[in-house]
Amino acid sequence: MSRPKKIVLIGHFGVGKTSLIRRFVENTFTKDYKVTIGVHISKKEIHIKGDTPLTLVIWDLEGLDDITKMRTSYLLGTNGFIYVFDLSRPVTYENLEAELEYLKTNYPNTPTKVVGNKMDLVNKAFIEENNGIFTPFVDYYVSAKLGSRVETLFTKLAEALI
Amino acid sequence: MLEFYKASQNEKFQYIIVDNTGTIKESDNGIFSIDNHKRLQEVHPFFEIFTELLVIPNETYEFSCINLNFETQNLVVDISVKTQDNSSIVIIENLTKHYNNYQLAAQGRNESIINSQIIELKNEYLLEKEKFKNNFIANFSHELRNPLTASLIFGNLLSESALNAEQKGYLNIIKSANSDLKQKIEDILDIAKIESGKLALNTSVFSLKAMLQDIVTQHKTLATNKQLEFVSNFDTKLPEFAEGDAYRIKQIFDSLLANAIDFTNSGRISLHVSLNYTRAQKANLQVKVIDTGCGIAPKHHDTIFERFMKIEPDAQSHNGSGLGLAIVKYLITEMGGTIRLDSSLNEGSTFTCNFNVKISSYNSSLKHELLDKQTPERSEKQHILLLEDSELMQLTLLKILAATGQFYVSIISKGEDLISNIIDKDVDLILSSNTIQGFSIADLTTAIRSLPREYKKTPVIALSTEAYKQDIKRFKKAGVTDVIIKPFDEQTLLERINKALK
């Protein structure tokens, strides 16, 4: 079995990073918002590409409105990033391009998936209207509440790590 | 004392010695218990990262605010690691209380920021929705104005031709339907103006007595048609001339009386206007409209002045958009007044309202204005240049103007032909639609006003489908002499043309 892979979730506060992890690890969801401070770490073993087992160690970082202010020690040994924004709050994706550029520059070989969460709060027309903002960057539109595409998100990132 | 203090501080720390694979050699278990020989990576997923860190000697790593959740306790700690060749020391400081307090503060702060962002977004959404609705209403009414104007005017022209009784009956139905439609469009536009804060009162001097007389004549006819008695009673102390928005004041009377007639099938309609008091050159008028109609149950009294409020099960059979009373209430409030309803089911209704007008002494400008309404006798025909790209409107206007025998009419349908026509022909007045295939009347008038002296003063009347105050202001600023809002009737058109030609 290969060594565990460290995945770090980053993004503004309130975008649903903790909810995505909870949906993936425990398959649960609560609408109550509890602010994450520092970092919470959880672990899940999955099977990818047929039946290859892989342990994911998932770091749920405190949300920040500026990615450059992240504590660098949290990012030591990171194998993959999930950048999360909230589709229903423009403030969480208005600097999307610059933030992703920062990640690419500072962590050039680290696979990254970009996800718009809270898909349940918007409709397809909204996505189409904002096509220019989202399409160049977004890998998945997900909903932690409904569980849609959450499993796919983690699995596809895991596949990119081996 | 000092020893006691130091001992208590020891409970805040845990020291662990591990080898470079992470296997625990020694732990003082100051915060939580762990077994020697176990790998640190098995204690909590956080320590998985140590597999990579411990193999690099002589490094120091600091991790702050790490949540370590165990079955029996949830800790928030700072962790520092100092690596050596074969063993490393891990120091854990328990700061749970400190970080929990910080969490509470962050919770309040983040919730408040997110809530204000959501409120801002909702507000933006509502403003967008409002803008869309107002644009929709403006465009919708724009599209209806030309055909409705034509329908109103040709209806009137047709009634002057020789028709048999049956045809006259049909025509009256068409005219009545046109009139209802016109009123409904005006009501919807008024509500849109009220909601967007664009309905402003235009004050001018007017003859209150003449207005009341007009109102009586108009509504008495409508009441008589329904076999209703119409009674009016005006206080002799009412000022003869007043200053206020005559159009809106008449709208209040018209709306209340039209409702009363509409909802009364037998009996009487009464209109009483009295002077409540005068103070600081302001007269407070009291208007009572009393009917013997179907009445309104008390449970509906609070909502009757709301938009689209119709309270009868068969209300669809009555005229009106359900907007009239909402507009009346707004107008009265804007005039510093109040409106009240006294009514019971099947016992008729009394609408009582009070509002202010300024008292005006007889004014010479008013005399001129009144005289303007009379059609002058002219010795020579006047030349009107009509700029209109709707064939329906061309035909309608031509029919009205030709019927007077007072005008020559030239018609053009392209904005680019306007200036050459003004110069080539001896034009006395320009009558133009507000938009003509890519041209705005404001732009065209600006061009006219920059022509040589003999042409630049030619009066321009805009026939406008844009009815907002700021539209009219824009036209006037560009030099447009007068603006007639569509739909209009032939009398209004001729009065305004004659006024502009003076």
Side-chain angles (χ1 to χ4, degrees):
Chain A
M1 187 169 164
S2 62
R3 278 165 57 179
K5 301 291 182 190
K6 175 179 171 182
I7 291 174
V8 176
L9 274 81
I10 51 177
H12 284 230
F13 57 82
V15 297
K17 297 182 289 296
T18 307
S19 294
L20 281 172
I21 295 167
R22 197 172 284 176
R23 172 60 74 189
F24 176 63
V25 176
E26 303 164 13
N27 198 22
T28 58
F29 175 82
T30 169
K31 64 180 173 58
D32 297 331
Y33 170 51
K34 188 180 178 197
V35 172
T36 304
I37 57 151
V39 60
H40 284 265
I41 298 116
S42 44
K43 193 168 167 179
K44 181 170 178 171
E45 190 180 310
I46 60 168
H47 289 80
I48 54 166
K49 288 186 177 169
D51 206 23
T52 312
L54 181 70
T55 301
L56 298 179
V57 178
I58 305 162
W59 285 50
D60 176 13
L61 263 55
E62 174 178 341
L64 293 167
D65 51 15
D66 182 356
I67 197 173
T68 62
K69 290 178 187 161
M70 270 189 305
R71 291 184 177 109
T72 49
S73 64
Y74 288 167
L75 305 180
L76 284 168
T78 298
N79 298 111
F81 285 111
I82 294 178
Y83 183 96
V84 188
F85 68 88
D86 178 347
L87 285 162
S88 71
R89 280 194 300 137
V91 71
T92 67
Y93 56 77
E94 60 194 11
N95 291 323
L96 190 57
E97 188 171 3
E99 302 227 309
L100 295 177
E101 192 56 41
Y102 173 84
L103 276 186
K104 205 173 155 187
T105 307
N106 291 281
Y107 304 91
N109 299 313
T110 312
T112 302
K113 296 286 180 200
V114 180
V115 295
N117 187 28
K118 307 192 188 178
M119 185 60 189
D120 50 287
L121 296 182
V122 298
N123 55 27
K124 280 188 178 172
F126 170 81
I127 304 286
E128 278 163 21
E129 272 173 31
N130 292 282
N131 208 15
I133 304 170
F134 299 147
T135 306
F137 311 108
V138 177
D139 294 292
Y140 299 103
Y141 299 104
V142 301
S143 166
K145 184 177 179 180
L146 305 176
S148 56
R149 309 210 78 189
V150 177
E151 188 85 25
T152 311
L153 161 70
F154 281 93
T155 309
K156 290 292 176 189
L157 178 60
E159 285 174 2
L161 304 183
I162 55 168
Chain B
M1 180 71 179
L2 196 60
E3 286 304 311
F4 174 77
Y5 178 74
K6 280 173 78 177
S8 73
Q9 287 303 300
N10 281 345
E11 288 169 16
K12 281 184 71 179
F13 289 91
Q14 179 154 347
Y15 300 88
I16 307 166
I17 306 286
V18 291
D19 68 15
N20 59 11
T21 66
T23 306
I24 298 158
K25 289 180 169 177
E26 199 180 340
S27 168
D28 71 349
N29 290 353
I31 304 171
F32 52 89
S33 293
I34 44 175
D35 301 332
N36 286 355
H37 312 300
K38 197 175 183 179
R39 288 183 74 227
L40 202 51
Q41 289 88 329
E42 295 167 44
V43 175
H44 190 276
F46 165 75
F47 297 107
E48 289 283 0
I49 194 178
F50 280 31
T51 309
E52 286 178 24
L53 303 185
L54 297 177
V55 293
I56 309 164
N58 303 317
E59 289 285 348
T60 303
Y61 302 100
E62 306 278 350
F63 299 92
S64 54
C65 200
I66 307 294
N67 290 266
L68 297 179
N69 299 332
F70 299 109
E71 272 184 23
T72 52
Q73 59 184 150
N74 293 326
L75 303 167
V76 194
V77 300
D78 281 1
I79 299 174
S80 59
V81 186
K82 192 165 173 52
T83 63
Q84 290 163 358
D85 282 336
N86 294 317
S87 63
S88 303
I89 180 152
V90 179
I91 304 166
I92 302 174
E93 183 180 4
N94 186 358
L95 292 166
T96 306
K97 196 175 170 187
H98 163 74
Y99 282 127
N100 281 348
N101 287 336
Y102 170 67
Q103 201 279 338
L104 281 176
Q107 184 80 32
R109 184 190 71 107
N110 288 13
E111 278 180 3
S112 150
I113 291 173
I114 290 171
N115 285 340
S116 68
Q117 285 168 355
I118 290 169
I119 289 167
E120 202 175 313
L121 280 173
K122 277 186 182 164
N123 195 30
E124 273 175 32
Y125 169 74
L126 288 174
L127 288 174
E128 283 276 314
K129 206 171 142 187
E130 184 70 16
K131 196 175 159 192
F132 173 81
K133 189 191 73 186
N134 288 336
N135 283 341
F136 176 81
I137 289 172
N139 291 336
F140 182 68
S141 76
H142 175 93
E143 294 302 323
L144 288 178
R145 279 167 195 275
N146 275 349
L148 188 57
T149 305
S151 191
L152 282 164
I153 288 170
F154 278 104
N156 287 339
L157 289 173
L158 195 58
S159 65
E160 287 162 17
S161 60
L163 298 173
N164 64 32
E166 192 182 9
Q167 287 167 332
K168 275 185 182 164
Y170 292 157
L171 184 60
N172 282 338
I173 293 168
I174 293 171
K175 284 172 73 177
S176 164
N178 280 342
S179 177
D180 282 351
L181 188 56
K182 179 174 182 270
Q183 187 55 54
K184 280 168 188 167
I185 291 173
E186 297 301 343
D187 282 356
I188 289 171
L189 207 62
D190 277 350
I191 284 289
K193 283 181 190 171
I194 288 169
E195 287 187 354
S196 57
K198 288 175 184 165
L199 195 147
L201 300 177
N202 297 312
T203 305
S204 63
V205 178
F206 65 97
S207 164
L208 181 62
K209 290 203 168 165
M211 177 194 277
L212 291 173
Q213 205 48 57
D214 277 356
I215 289 164
V216 169
T217 309
Q218 181 190 341
H219 291 281
K220 196 169 189 173
T221 310
L222 295 171
T224 310
N225 287 346
K226 275 188 85 174
Q227 271 85 51
L228 300 172
E229 189 186 348
F230 191 95
V231 178
S232 61
N233 191 325
F234 303 137
D235 193 335
T236 51
K237 293 190 288 261
L238 288 176
E240 186 166 1
F241 293 101
E243 213 175 316
D245 190 328
Y247 174 78
R248 296 299 179 186
I249 291 170
K250 184 164 185 301
Q251 186 178 1
I252 293 170
F253 280 100
D254 286 344
S255 195
L256 292 175
L257 286 166
N259 261 352
I261 295 168
D262 200 23
F263 286 91
T264 305
N265 291 325
S266 63
R268 176 196 291 177
I269 307 296
S270 310
L271 169 65
H272 301 281
V273 185
S274 57
L275 181 68
N276 263 346
Y277 58 83
T278 58
R279 190 179 298 154
Q281 281 302 102
K282 277 186 181 172
N284 186 270
L285 308 184
Q286 184 179 76
V287 177
K288 271 191 182 198
V289 175
I290 307 162
D291 66 56
T292 53
C294 57
I296 299 160
K299 65 178 178 180
H300 296 303
H301 288 197
D302 288 340
T303 53
I304 192 77
F305 296 105
E306 289 174 11
R307 284 169 296 152
F308 299 107
M309 191 60 204
K310 285 182 164 190
I311 40 84
E312 265 207 48
D314 66 339
Q316 293 302 329
S317 65
H318 290 281
N319 292 324
S321 54
L323 294 170
L325 286 176
I327 297 168
V328 164
K329 183 167 186 188
Y330 176 84
L331 293 175
I332 288 174
T333 308
E334 284 295 290
M335 291 175 196
T338 56
I339 183 162
R340 193 181 78 234
L341 164 67
D342 296 297
S343 181
S344 300
L345 208 53
N346 303 319
E347 287 181 18
S349 303
T350 301
F351 283 91
T352 309
C353 56
N354 304 285
F355 57 87
N356 293 322
V357 290
K358 273 191 187 170
I359 300 167
S360 174
S361 54
Y362 182 76
N363 186 312
S364 60
S365 70
L366 181 72
K367 188 179 174 186
H368 287 301
E369 215 165 280
L370 294 173
L371 284 173
D372 283 342
K373 291 193 174 181
Q374 293 165 12
T375 310
E377 290 294 326
R378 287 199 182 84
S379 53
E380 285 183 13
K381 282 192 176 184
Q382 307 280 304
H383 187 180
I384 293 180
L385 178 62
L386 173 61
L387 176 54
E388 173 62 75
D389 53 6
S390 154
E391 283 186 20
L392 184 63
M393 283 307 293
Q394 285 177 2
L395 185 63
T396 307
L397 291 161
L398 184 64
K399 198 83 182 162
I400 298 171
L401 297 173
T404 63
Q406 293 178 19
F407 308 109
Y408 295 117
V409 183
S410 302
I411 300 175
I412 54 172
S413 53
K414 290 180 181 168
E416 53 263 46
D417 297 337
L418 178 67
I419 300 296
S420 58
N421 268 273
I422 294 172
I423 293 170
D424 293 346
K425 297 170 183 171
D426 186 17
V427 175
D428 295 305
L429 182 134
I430 297 153
L431 201 55
S432 171
S433 174
N434 58 316
T435 53
I436 312 99
Q437 294 177 358
F439 289 92
S440 150
I441 187 62
D443 299 337
L444 291 171
T445 308
T446 305
I448 295 168
R449 299 300 177 230
S450 61
L451 287 174
R453 190 195 285 181
E454 62 265 43
Y455 310 114
K456 71 191 280 185
K457 289 190 174 172
T458 314
V460 177
I461 295 181
L463 303 172
S464 181
T465 49
E466 294 171 286
Y468 282 113
K469 198 181 175 187
Q470 75 266 26
D471 300 321
I472 295 162
K473 206 172 167 183
R474 183 163 44 86
F475 298 151
K476 291 276 177 81
K477 200 178 170 188
V480 171
T481 317
D482 197 2
V483 182
I484 303 176
I485 305 294
K486 294 175 184 173
F488 51 82
D489 57 31
E490 57 202 285
Q491 192 190 344
T492 306
L493 177 73
L494 293 173
E495 275 174 15
R496 307 283 276 274
I497 287 175
N498 283 321
K499 187 182 169 191
L501 282 171
K502 277 197 161 223

